[in-house]
Amino acid sequence: MIYLGKISYGMYVYHWFVPALLGVALPFVGLAVPTLGGVRWLLFSAVSILLAAASWHLMEQPILRFKRFFSYQKRTSAPTLAATQVQGAQ
């Protein structure tokens, strides 16, 4: 579950393209897109997860490694709305 959470944004992004991708790719190799809803859902879900995992390992994770080259200061806490309004009124 933790791993799926890590790749969840990729799953969200790629799941939109999976039906079109499989609609072209499967007939190209002589297969048909399943018509049964459950089988279709499982196939689309599995392909979305595979694409998201590949994206995480091949693109996102290497890019995130660049964070170590940039310094930044962590905030101790986010400013509250009340504090922002008081500063804005002055």
Side-chain angles (χ1 to χ4, degrees):
M1 286 308 207
I2 293 172
Y3 182 73
L4 289 179
K6 193 177 286 191
I7 66 169
S8 63
Y9 182 72
M11 290 168 32
Y12 167 74
V13 170
Y14 295 122
H15 93 277
W16 294 104
F17 304 103
V18 168
L21 175 72
L22 291 180
V24 171
L26 289 179
F28 185 75
V29 296
L31 299 172
V33 177
T35 55
L36 292 173
V39 174
R40 187 180 182 106
W41 180 84
L42 284 173
L43 176 64
F44 289 1
S45 297
V47 172
S48 297
I49 290 169
L50 289 173
L51 286 173
S55 172
W56 170 256
H57 290 285
L58 299 174
M59 289 191 313
E60 297 172 48
Q61 197 174 33
I63 290 171
L64 289 172
R65 287 187 191 129
F66 283 113
K67 282 183 174 182
R68 66 181 174 190
F69 297 113
F70 299 95
S71 63
Y72 64 96
Q73 256 184 340
K74 287 187 177 184
R75 286 187 181 178
T76 54
S77 64
T80 63
L81 180 60
T84 307
Q85 290 174 342
V86 169
Q87 289 175 355
Q90 294 176 356

